[in-house]
Amino acid sequence: MISLGGLRHLRLASARAAAPRLAVARRQQSSAINTFYKTALKSNVSHVTFVVTGAIIFELIYGKATEALWESMNQGKLVHQVDWSVYREDDEEEDED
């Protein structure tokens, strides 16, 4: 059986072993955040450019996705999908008075 002191020792040992991994993860995370800050948020011009570019890209992707969804839900019902040759009338059969 493990004593209470032994459990504390194991817990401290595992915490010490995990500490370097957490420090590396925090450094990598803060490095990514710092890089993002330096490139996109450092000045007002870069921030506005980042927001406007992001909005345009999001709009393009969202527009394509909704258009594809709309066309798949209304297959064969849209104007550019109708076979208009079926509704063509021959002009020779008309009699004018």
Side-chain angles (χ1 to χ4, degrees):
M1 214 166 162
I2 299 176
S3 67
L4 187 58
L7 286 176
R8 285 186 193 152
H9 177 67
L10 286 175
R11 200 171 353 158
L12 287 174
S14 66
R16 286 184 192 134
R21 284 182 273 151
L22 291 174
V24 169
R26 284 186 187 137
R27 266 188 260 132
Q28 288 175 347
Q29 181 183 13
S30 67
S31 174
I33 291 171
N34 285 337
T35 303
F36 175 72
Y37 175 77
K38 287 178 184 176
T39 58
L41 305 176
K42 186 87 174 180
S43 70
N44 191 33
V45 173
S46 64
H47 181 76
V48 169
T49 304
F50 177 76
V51 169
V52 169
T53 304
I56 290 171
I57 291 171
F58 178 77
E59 160 58 26
L60 290 172
I61 293 170
Y62 186 77
K64 294 281 185 183
T66 54
E67 186 71 25
L69 178 66
W70 181 261
E71 286 191 12
S72 70
M73 302 269 304
N74 295 303
Q75 188 68 30
K77 300 176 187 175
L78 301 175
V79 173
H80 64 276
Q81 296 172 341
V82 174
D83 181 20
W84 293 106
S85 64
V86 175
Y87 302 106
R88 190 174 302 157
E89 293 181 13
D90 292 332
D91 291 335
E92 297 172 8
E93 296 178 10
E94 289 185 24
D95 289 334
E96 294 184 24
D97 291 326

